[in-house]
């Protein structure tokens, strides 16, 4: 079994049911989409400036494009290289990070998005992001809650 994250502190009698790891390629895809949207914003900004100054559209020159890449590139690199959290499901709770742990009997709603899963509890909320199949993770959590209720 893979080593557990450092922030995990088990309660007495608690067992690990699933180790949920975000996918790097899903994260990379999201960051690249953010980069493309940023460059589209730069192009629209230059079109807007040309329009406001009533001059013909010149488009994005190499200097402006280089400056935009120098401003956006480090932000994207930092987001890509940040360590991804590992989520842990036990028979009693879902551990999202070092501060957020949601008891399974308090989960009120699971909301599946494209590559993420919002977990709403009575006191806490958590977001599991960059998942390949968030619907399967939601089903796993629901099944674990169902087993807990039957026991």
């Amino acid at each position: 079994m893979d080593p557990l994250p450092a922030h995990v502190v088990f309660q007495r009698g608690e067992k690990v049911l699933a180790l949920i790891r975000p996918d790097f390629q899903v994260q990379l895809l999201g960051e690249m989409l953010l980069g493309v949207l940023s460059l589209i914003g730069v192009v629209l900004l230059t079109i807007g400036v040309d329009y406001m100054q009533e001059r013909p559209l010149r488009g994005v020159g190499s200097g402006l494009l280089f400056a935009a890449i120098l401003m956006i590139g480090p932000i994207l690199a930092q987001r890509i290289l940040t360590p991804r959290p590992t989520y842990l499901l036990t028979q009693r709770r879902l551990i999202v990070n070092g501060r957020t742990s949601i008891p399974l009997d308090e989960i009120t709603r699971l909301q599946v998005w494209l590559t993420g899963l919002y977990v709403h509890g009575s006191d806490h909320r958590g977001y599991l992001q960059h998942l390949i199949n968030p619907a399967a993770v939601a089903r796993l959590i629901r099944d674990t809650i169902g087993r807990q209720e039957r026991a």
Side-chain angles (χ1 to χ4, degrees):
M1 183 174 184
D2 293 337
L4 296 177
H7 65 268
V8 175
V9 178
F10 287 111
Q11 299 169 351
R12 184 177 298 251
E14 196 169 28
K15 294 186 306 186
V16 175
L17 297 180
L19 198 60
I20 304 164
R21 293 190 183 278
D23 186 61
F24 179 71
Q25 292 178 348
V26 172
Q27 179 186 8
L28 189 62
L29 175 66
E31 303 305 332
M32 292 301 114
L33 286 174
L34 183 64
V36 167
L37 289 175
S38 299
L39 289 177
I40 289 172
V42 168
V43 169
L44 291 176
L45 179 69
T46 59
I47 290 172
V49 168
D50 287 341
Y51 180 74
M52 294 295 281
Q53 293 182 354
E54 298 178 354
R55 61 183 180 201
L57 299 178
R58 294 182 302 170
V60 177
S62 60
L64 181 61
L65 186 62
F66 186 68
I69 289 173
L70 284 179
M71 290 187 324
I72 297 168
I75 295 170
L76 287 177
Q78 179 187 9
R79 288 178 57 114
I80 290 170
L81 297 175
T82 299
R84 295 174 310 281
T86 300
Y87 313 113
L88 197 67
L89 178 67
T90 69
Q91 80 272 20
R92 294 183 191 159
R93 61 191 173 135
L94 175 66
I95 302 170
V96 178
N97 56 37
R99 291 167 287 162
T100 307
S101 172
I102 306 171
L104 294 181
D105 57 351
E106 293 181 10
I107 292 178
T108 57
R109 183 177 182 199
L110 297 172
Q111 188 175 11
V112 176
W113 285 88
L114 293 174
T115 60
L117 175 67
Y118 281 103
V119 181
H120 300 268
S122 57
D123 292 334
H124 302 290
R125 288 179 12 178
Y127 182 62
L128 285 63
Q129 60 183 352
H130 308 306
L131 302 175
I132 293 176
N133 191 352
V137 174
R139 192 170 34 257
L140 175 67
I141 294 170
R142 282 188 194 105
D143 292 345
T144 305
I145 291 171
R147 273 186 268 145
Q148 182 186 27
E149 290 173 354
R150 283 190 296 254

